[in-house]
């Protein structure tokens, strides 16, 4: 059952960074299946330390690519307010 309150944006963020789910899985020491689920919007839960590890890996990669902005939680997960659903 899809929850229309939450939109997962990891896949789009990976595209912007020009990287793969597998590279982020390796760099963040996260199970590839977890990254796949987040990228496809097919997850129900995520541990905060896993989220932090993914963000650390994304920001390190962004830095290596010369991207000066910080990748944040809103680049992975977006809350859709009731008025916009």
């Amino acid at each position: 059952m899809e929850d229309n309150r939450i939109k997962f944006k990891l896949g789009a963020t990976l595209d912007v960074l020009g990287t793969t789910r597998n590279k982020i899985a390796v760099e963040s020491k996260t199970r590839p299946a977890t990254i796949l689920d987040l990228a496809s919007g097919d997850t129900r839960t995520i541990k905060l330390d896993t989220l932090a590890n993914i963000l650390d890996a994304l920001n390190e990669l962004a830095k290596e690519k010369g991207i000066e902005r910080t990748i944040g939680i809103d680049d992975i997960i977006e809350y859709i307010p009731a008025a916009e659903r």
Side-chain angles (χ1 to χ4, degrees), residues 27-79:
E27 296 297 322
S28 66
K29 296 177 178 60
T30 303
R31 290 181 36 244
T34 299
I35 299 295
L36 173 63
D37 288 348
L38 275 172
S40 66
D42 210 19
T43 190
R44 295 305 238 163
T45 61
I46 183 167
K47 292 182 178 181
L48 293 177
D49 63 328
T50 300
L51 185 59
N53 290 342
I54 292 168
L55 286 166
D56 286 343
L58 290 170
N59 279 296
E60 185 61 33
L61 181 63
K63 182 180 173 184
E64 290 171 9
K65 292 186 175 254
I67 297 171
E68 296 185 14
R69 75 175 191 87
T70 300
I71 307 296
I73 290 173
D74 57 333
D75 292 299
I76 298 176
I77 301 168
E78 178 182 3
Y79 166 69

Side-chain angles (χ1 to χ4, degrees), residues 8-9 18 31 41 53 60 84-85:
F8 290 93
K9 299 168 38 178
R31 290 181 36 244
N53 290 342
E60 185 61 33
E84 296 177 22
R85 286 185 238 142

